[in-house]
């Protein structure tokens, strides 16, 4: 699959938009009810090259840059998250660690399969007692000669039931405090001792499974540490690099979901009549629509600024946190207004906003809760005022 330049990328976006509107949106209710994306849709995604959007061309990917990735993210977020989350772990957190810090051998082993979709990826960071406080993770990888023996449990792992390769954050130096001594380790699905829990029942985003991943004396070579043996203890640094991009990506997803909600609310307001006229003519309805549109535009500017900083190689941690924090919180407000505009109809499954409202809620939690992101932003901000 060739890389896309500034002339051919709009063609890709056009193809994606047509695919979303003609193939995916008509299946939203089916995926919600059956909690499964049809196999033929996944095959079409493979044929389109969607699994390799962010993977370098030399390994079979499309090699989109960050700004291009985000445009695709926003487009796919207009429909059910289940569709995007079929392939996005391969584009984002599931492969980014290998792309950013992997050895050449690791890249050649995994990236071509991830780019084609024959391999699926998952990123294992969160644990039962370590979510927002990721540096306190307890999963251990103890050295035994040239092997690492992994024990622990990861929780709420997206794509775990479908993944072939897991990037596992584990403590390789138990004596090191906090984030020090954590390594990022590649573990294949068929490794003895690796077990996948049952998919969780969720409020929203149905059709995208999350589950526990349990490691019971899982033995992998030390060479499976991302970056090789010399990168032991550097895993948290890799995770933070991945999560900066991931947070901007979630913010972009929030924008795509917000756009759908605004469109649904505005169209309904023009069609629904009360007191002898469309409710779109009432000023309080217009105020809700205006607030939503303004927050969408403000979020778009934040995402663009953060992405440009990260793409330049700047320290974008605070900007990424701000973009994700603002956009996810704004999305919840936009979802609430959209449901309110629909009135009682918005509370029942007849209209899409009921599902969209539930889908939106998770974005304020994953890739950093809003409260943790507030701390990230404030601490970076206060450093500017220190003597």
């Amino acid at each position: 699959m060739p890389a896309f330049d500034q002339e051919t990328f709009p063609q890709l976006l056009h193809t994606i938009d047509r695919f979303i509107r003609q193939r995916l949106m008509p299946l939203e209710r089916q995926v919600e009810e059956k909690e499964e994306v049809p196999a033929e849709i996944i095959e079409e995604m493979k044929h389109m090259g969607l699994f390799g959007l962010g993977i370098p061309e030399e390994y079979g990917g499309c090699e989109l840059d960050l700004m291009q990735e985000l445009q695709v993210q926003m487009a796919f977020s207009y429909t059910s998250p289940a569709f995007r989350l079929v392939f996005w772990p391969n584009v984002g957190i599931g492969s980014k660690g290998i792309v950013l810090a992997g050895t050449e051998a690791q890249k050649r082993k995994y990236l071509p399969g991830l780019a084609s979709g024959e391999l699926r990826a998952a990123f294992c960071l969160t644990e039962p007692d370590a979510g927002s406080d990721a540096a306190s993770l307890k999963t251990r990888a103890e050295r035994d000669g040239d092997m690492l023996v992994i024990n622990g449990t990861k929780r709420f792992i997206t794509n775990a039931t479908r993944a072939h390769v897991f990037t596992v954050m584990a403590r390789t130096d138990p004596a090191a405090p906090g984030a020090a001594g954590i390594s990022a380790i590649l573990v294949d699905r068929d490794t003895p001792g690796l077990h996948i829990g049952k998919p969780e029942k969720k409020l929203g985003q149905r059709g995208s499974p999350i589950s526990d991943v349990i490691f019971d004396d899982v033995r992998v070579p030390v060479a499976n540490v991302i970056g090789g043996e010399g990168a032991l203890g550097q895993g948290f640094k890799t995770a933070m690099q991945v999560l900066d991009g991931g947070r901007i990506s979630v913010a972009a997803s929030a924008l795509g979901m917000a756009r759908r909600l605004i469109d649904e609310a505005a169209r309904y307001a023009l069609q629904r009549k009360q007191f002898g006229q469309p409710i779109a003519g009432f000023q309080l309805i217009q105020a809700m629509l205006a607030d939503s549109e303004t927050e969408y535009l403000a979020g778009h500017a934040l995402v663009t600024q953060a992405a440009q900083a990260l793409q330049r190689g700047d320290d974008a941690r605070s900007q990424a946190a701000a973009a994700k924090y603002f956009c996810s919180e704004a999305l919840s407000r936009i979802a609430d207004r959209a449901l309110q505009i629909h009135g009682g109809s918005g509370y029942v499954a007849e209209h899409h906003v009921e599902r969209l409202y539930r889908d939106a809620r998770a974005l304020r939690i994953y890739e950093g809760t809003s409260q943790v992101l507030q701390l990230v932003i404030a601490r970076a901000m206060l450093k500017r005022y220190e003597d």
Side-chain angles (χ1 to χ4, degrees):
M1 178 65 65
F4 289 87
D5 57 26
Q6 295 303 315
E7 294 183 3
T8 57
F9 180 67
Q11 298 173 17
L12 173 65
L13 280 182
H14 177 73
T15 300
I16 286 172
D17 184 69
R18 186 171 67 244
F19 177 62
I20 290 167
R21 294 180 185 276
Q22 295 180 2
R23 295 289 289 133
L24 304 188
M25 290 176 69
L27 294 172
E28 288 175 347
R29 294 191 190 280
Q30 175 185 321
V31 169
E32 168 81 4
E33 292 169 1
K34 295 186 176 181
E35 298 197 30
E36 185 178 9
V37 175
E40 62 269 21
I41 292 294
I42 298 175
E43 289 304 312
E44 289 180 51
M45 290 176 172
K46 291 179 181 178
H47 182 72
M48 292 172 67
L50 296 177
F51 287 85
L53 292 177
I55 292 173
E57 187 177 5
E58 65 180 298
Y59 303 106
C62 299
E63 202 167 347
L64 299 188
D65 64 29
L66 180 59
M67 298 301 296
Q68 291 172 330
E69 279 187 28
L70 295 177
Q71 290 180 70
V72 174
Q73 174 95 328
M74 284 185 264
F76 262 97
S77 297
Y78 196 82
T79 187
S80 169
F83 295 117
R84 177 181 55 82
L85 290 170
V86 166
F87 66 89
W88 203 261
N90 280 36
V91 177
I93 59 176
S95 70
K96 282 290 191 261
I98 303 173
V99 172
L100 289 170
T103 65
E104 186 60 29
Q106 290 167 348
K107 291 177 181 179
R108 295 200 177 280
K109 179 178 179 179
Y110 292 109
L111 293 183
L114 292 173
S116 70
E118 294 308 309
L119 295 180
R120 310 277 281 281
F123 188 80
C124 298
L125 176 60
T126 301
E127 298 182 359
D129 296 318
S132 297
D133 184 14
S136 69
L137 63 83
K138 296 178 181 177
T139 296
R140 291 194 176 191
E142 298 179 344
R143 187 149 188 176
D144 181 15
D146 291 333
M147 304 293 287
L148 292 170
V149 183
I150 307 173
N151 283 283
T153 298
K154 297 297 183 177
R155 178 143 295 172
F156 305 140
I157 304 304
T158 300
N159 224 31
T161 58
R162 304 185 289 206
H164 301 91
V165 57
F166 300 83
T167 297
V168 182
M169 308 304 296
R171 192 170 295 284
T172 49
D173 184 357
I182 294 174
S183 299
I185 307 164
L186 295 168
V187 181
D188 294 334
R189 171 65 172 267
D190 59 1
T191 306
L194 189 155
H195 307 286
I196 308 298
K198 64 180 179 61
E200 302 283 357
K201 291 289 186 181
K202 308 195 303 296
L203 173 70
Q205 303 205 7
R206 296 172 185 169
S208 171
I210 64 171
S211 59
D212 285 359
V213 182
I214 302 100
F215 301 88
D216 183 10
D217 285 338
V218 172
R219 297 176 65 87
V220 298
V222 176
N224 280 32
V225 172
I226 291 182
E229 183 175 354
L232 277 167
Q234 300 298 309
F236 200 77
K237 178 181 177 182
T238 300
M240 289 303 101
Q241 287 180 297
V242 171
L243 286 175
D244 282 345
R247 285 169 177 169
I248 299 171
S249 181
V250 172
S253 184
L255 292 176
M257 297 171 76
R259 185 72 266 157
R260 174 72 179 276
L261 282 157
I262 293 168
D263 290 352
E264 294 283 345
R267 291 190 184 107
Y268 183 83
L270 288 167
Q271 296 166 3
R272 172 66 167 161
K273 291 186 178 180
Q274 288 286 280
F275 305 101
Q277 70 177 88
I279 63 172
F282 301 138
Q283 289 180 334
L284 291 178
I285 297 294
Q286 292 176 3
M288 285 192 282
L289 292 171
D291 284 349
S292 295
E293 184 75 2
T294 300
E295 288 188 311
Y296 169 81
L297 293 172
H300 201 287
L302 264 175
V303 167
T304 300
Q305 179 175 304
Q308 288 174 341
L310 188 62
Q311 194 158 281
R312 287 194 304 267
D314 297 347
D315 182 356
R317 189 180 184 202
S318 177
Q319 292 186 60
K324 196 272 182 180
Y325 169 56
F326 178 85
C327 291
S328 62
E329 291 286 339
L331 173 62
S332 280
R333 294 189 292 269
I334 290 167
D336 190 72
R337 294 185 199 111
L339 194 149
Q340 190 72 12
I341 288 169
H342 278 73
S345 296
Y347 197 71
V348 297
E350 176 187 355
H351 293 274
H352 291 293
V353 292
E354 183 269 341
R355 171 180 54 79
L356 295 168
Y357 182 90
R358 289 185 286 103
D359 288 347
R361 186 59 182 86
L363 274 72
R364 289 161 58 193
I365 300 172
Y366 57 58
E367 302 282 0
T369 65
S370 293
Q371 289 66 41
V372 164
L373 296 178
Q374 286 176 303
L375 296 179
V376 171
I377 297 162
R379 287 168 182 169
M381 172 187 169
L382 290 170
K383 284 183 180 180
R384 300 200 302 264
Y385 298 91
E386 292 176 355
D387 293 332

